[in-house]
Amino acid sequence: MTGGLAGILAGILTGILTGDRGAKRAAPARPAPNGLASECGAHYGPAMTLQQHQFSDDQAEAWDRVAEALAGAGVDIVDSTLLPDAPARTTVLAIVGKAGSGKTMLLAELARALTDAGVEMVSGDYEGRRRKERRTLAVLAPTNKAASVLRGHGVPATTIHRILYTPVYDPEYERIAEWLAGSGERPVVEGLTDAALDRARAFYDQIKSIPGALAAAGLRGSDFILGWKRREDPLDIGFVDEASMLDERQLDDLREIFPTLVLFGDPAQLAPVGQSGEMVFDRLPEARKLALHRIHRQEDDNPILDLAHALGDPDLGFERFEAMVAQAARRDHRVVWSERVDATLMARSPVLVWRNQTRIRLIQAFRTAYEAPPDVLLPGEPLICDGIELPLKHRKKRLDLEARGLIKGAQVIYRGPGTRPGFAQLHLIGSDDPLMSAASIIKIEVPDEEEPLIASAATMGAVFLHGAAVTIHKAQGSQWEEVQVFAPDLFVAARMGRIEAGIPLWKRLAYVAITRAEARLHWVVRPRLGRPAERLSLADLPAGSPALRLDASED
């Protein structure tokens, strides 16, 4: 790295650590990588059968318990028979287990058995005409990211909000939109200064985008959406994956909608903010919780899963855990001990961090290393969808975008500006038809600045944040083939000594971060960024259709 670039990056990364980590640690020797071995996570597709995946004793017991509860609800998955009426009382079961214990496989098999018995699968895209005798199943996840992971495993999942709720907006922020559009007077909103409103006004006068104007005022969708109005018609059976992300209010709403509710969750993950580290299933009676223990994800030894499960040792401290990471890196190329962040890898796989300030500084360091202009994206820069800003009357356009996989948490690569102002040409990672052009609101956050730069804004469309780094909380429910974990942030969490539900916070963070890696884990131990080996490029992306297909948001 040249002296000039090193100085710039050192300045950007200043402040990431709150204390000295002591003497520099030597990188352990490890075999040169010769290709990735077996993946950390096996994907369970729609063709999966019980004959392909033999149940272990704990899975078989969980299957029997769920089958018993379903039979009490009038659905017999053993004999494939249905009764038309659901019970009046609510039954809640929880199937819990750490990464690799087979929760997804069990969920998929139970869903298949229900559909084989004639239960109708309900999704956010389509719901058949209501019949008195019909029985229904919805497979849900708290976020679009988690739902998309399930769909990648062959399970037709959707989000809780999408199937159960419609958004309710804060009237004060609606007043801002009315004022900007010319149908209301300038509002006075608690928490927003006159300067913030002036920024919104100036932005809207230049670009007629309400979401972009609200972003210029420092607001996000979660700021002006008060909540969600529950659907009026109840359903029958609900399977909820990533239940560790549920809060009490969501669980109460689900209890009212689903007479039979089965939660699938990982007790070692991070609990929702404001719940003191507790998961919603922690409060269920022990008789209602079914634990999976055996590791099913792969037959061979897996150093990534071994490290994740080692965090369950109550006597394990941060320093000893890092020594285990170093030892794993010496013997297996699926674990990499790194003295610096790999900027080239950041272009396709985000660095996982604890603190938001670290995320923003690393993103800025990445852009500086590639000599990107402050408010203009380079082709090849990674983005993460932060939601779709479309009014309810444009529900079809939203469905068109989401059907192609452009959902909250989706990874995309910026290809260049679109053919119309505010549009961007994108490559959607993991899509069979990845090339698309979408109306986009692209935010570039800057260290020590409250307001992000808006690199692109349309009147409505998809909202994007830079994807070179992501917080571990936001990464829950997502997976990448290779993951870089920024260990200095976890060291800070360990030094702070924070505890959640009797478990050190750094252990929960490390567990979630490690289990996001499907094939290779990079453990980054120094707040440094390696100089990229080459300029950003689109050459590594799979070829799509010859011409970009414009999505429905251009209509």
Side-chain angles (χ1 to χ4, degrees):
M1 182 180 294
T2 64
L5 179 59
I8 292 173
L9 297 185
I12 290 174
L13 290 174
T14 297
I16 284 182
L17 290 179
T18 59
D20 187 9
R21 298 197 68 178
K24 180 176 181 292
R25 294 164 294 171
R30 63 178 180 87
N34 56 358
L36 300 180
S38 55
E39 290 191 357
C40 175
H43 286 208
Y44 304 108
M48 178 183 61
T49 66
L50 288 173
Q51 287 72 31
Q52 290 173 306
H53 296 276
Q54 182 66 40
F55 280 171
S56 62
D57 290 343
D58 53 8
Q59 286 179 314
E61 180 182 357
W63 172 280
D64 291 342
R65 293 287 304 281
V66 174
E68 180 182 355
L70 293 173
V75 179
D76 191 332
I77 59 174
V78 177
D79 295 332
S80 294
T81 58
L82 302 179
L83 294 177
D85 297 325
R89 62 184 179 85
T90 300
T91 299
V92 181
L93 295 177
I95 297 176
V96 299
K98 293 185 179 180
S101 58
K103 297 185 300 296
T104 300
M105 190 264 277
L106 183 59
L107 185 156
E109 285 296 342
L110 286 166
R112 183 189 64 81
L114 284 166
T115 55
D116 287 349
V119 175
E120 181 179 325
M121 184 75 73
V122 176
S123 71
D125 293 326
Y126 174 75
E127 184 173 349
R129 181 180 301 177
R130 293 189 60 82
R131 304 184 310 275
K132 183 178 180 180
E133 70 279 5
R134 80 167 186 166
R135 305 303 304 275
T136 56
L137 165 70
V139 180
L140 309 174
T143 67
N144 270 315
K145 292 186 295 183
S148 65
V149 170
L150 268 180
R151 288 194 293 271
H153 290 201
V155 181
T158 188
T159 64
I160 296 171
H161 280 173
R162 180 160 172 195
I163 203 168
L164 301 182
Y165 309 112
T166 55
V168 177
Y169 294 93
D170 188 320
E172 287 195 329
Y173 295 126
E174 280 190 334
R175 289 164 52 209
I176 299 177
E178 292 170 356
W179 165 63
L180 293 173
S183 59
E185 297 181 353
R186 180 185 178 102
V188 176
V189 179
E190 183 179 356
L192 282 184
T193 64
D194 285 340
L197 289 174
D198 289 340
R199 286 195 302 271
R201 175 85 268 174
F203 184 94
Y204 189 79
D205 287 344
Q206 184 177 7
I207 302 174
K208 302 300 182 183
S209 169
I210 295 293
L214 293 176
L219 298 173
R220 297 183 177 183
S222 57
D223 294 325
F224 53 84
I225 294 178
L226 283 178
W228 304 84
K229 181 181 178 181
R230 194 181 65 231
R231 63 182 287 147
E232 296 179 358
D233 298 327
L235 298 170
D236 285 339
I237 303 164
F239 288 172
V240 185
D241 196 31
E242 296 288 352
S244 60
M245 301 171 70
L246 286 179
D247 59 34
E248 286 292 341
R249 182 177 178 180
Q250 288 174 315
L251 180 60
D252 289 342
D253 286 340
L254 289 169
R255 287 177 189 265
E256 294 184 16
I257 296 295
F258 293 101
T260 303
L261 193 61
V262 184
L263 311 178
F264 295 79
D266 187 334
Q269 290 201 16
L270 293 161
V273 176
Q275 292 209 174
S276 303
E278 276 194 329
M279 316 292 187
V280 292
F281 46 72
D282 289 337
R283 300 182 184 181
L284 292 177
E286 289 301 318
R288 292 290 178 183
K289 290 189 289 188
L290 314 171
L292 303 181
H293 302 287
R294 180 181 171 185
I295 303 303
H296 301 269
R297 193 166 281 184
Q298 70 175 46
E299 294 179 359
D300 298 332
D301 290 337
N302 188 315
I304 300 173
L305 286 179
D306 288 345
L307 289 170
H309 285 266
L311 290 163
D313 181 355
D315 297 326
L316 181 68
F318 184 83
E319 289 75 12
R320 188 155 66 90
F321 178 72
E322 279 209 321
M324 294 175 64
V325 176
Q327 185 180 28
R330 284 192 291 267
R331 68 171 186 266
D332 198 305
H333 68 269
R334 287 172 288 182
V335 177
V336 179
W337 179 280
S338 179
E339 287 286 335
R340 64 191 66 205
V341 177
D342 184 337
T344 304
L345 185 57
M346 288 174 75
R348 298 296 178 261
S349 178
V351 182
L352 301 188
V353 304
W354 172 37
R355 296 176 295 177
N356 199 49
Q357 66 185 35
T358 307
R359 177 183 69 86
I360 295 173
R361 291 181 185 277
L362 282 170
I363 288 171
Q364 191 66 15
F366 170 87
R367 303 198 77 239
T368 299
Y370 279 106
E371 301 179 349
D375 57 351
V376 177
L377 289 175
L378 299 176
E381 289 198 65
L383 300 173
I384 291 184
C385 182
D386 196 39
I388 298 177
E389 301 282 5
L390 288 173
L392 291 178
K393 66 180 181 179
H394 292 294
R395 177 173 172 80
K396 183 180 183 300
K397 291 182 180 180
R398 176 188 293 273
L399 294 179
D400 288 342
L401 291 172
E402 292 182 345
R404 293 196 61 191
L406 191 60
I407 60 177
K408 187 170 184 178
Q411 279 187 287
V412 304
I413 304 300
Y414 179 76
R415 298 180 60 90
T419 56
R420 296 175 56 185
F423 279 72
Q425 297 179 16
L426 307 169
H427 182 103
L428 184 59
I429 299 295
S431 172
D432 294 333
D433 186 14
L435 302 184
M436 65 189 309
S437 177
S440 304
I441 302 166
I442 302 175
K443 304 177 184 179
I444 302 177
E445 296 157 295
V446 181
D448 304 320
E449 295 288 340
E450 292 185 4
E451 310 304 332
L453 297 170
I454 307 296
S456 174
T459 55
M460 61 182 68
V463 180
F464 296 98
L465 300 176
H466 205 280
V470 175
T471 64
I472 296 171
H473 279 84
K474 291 286 187 181
Q476 285 198 132
S478 297
Q479 287 185 315
W480 293 271
E481 186 170 314
E482 297 193 52
V483 164
Q484 297 186 88
V485 177
F486 194 71
D489 255 18
L490 302 186
F491 171 74
V492 171
R495 286 191 61 178
M496 291 175 65
R498 287 177 55 178
I499 303 293
E500 281 194 1
I503 300 175
L505 175 61
W506 77 265
K507 287 189 175 182
R508 287 190 180 274
L509 292 166
Y511 177 85
V512 172
I514 287 171
T515 54
R516 300 312 94 197
E518 293 182 331
R520 180 173 288 172
L521 169 68
H522 299 253
W523 188 261
V524 181
V525 297
R526 308 296 290 179
R528 298 174 177 173
L529 184 74
R531 186 183 181 91
E534 54 189 19
R535 301 185 67 84
L536 281 172
S537 170
L538 302 172
D540 63 305
L541 300 178
S545 53
L548 290 172
R549 187 180 77 185
L550 302 183
D551 61 53
S553 61
E554 290 226 36
D555 296 338

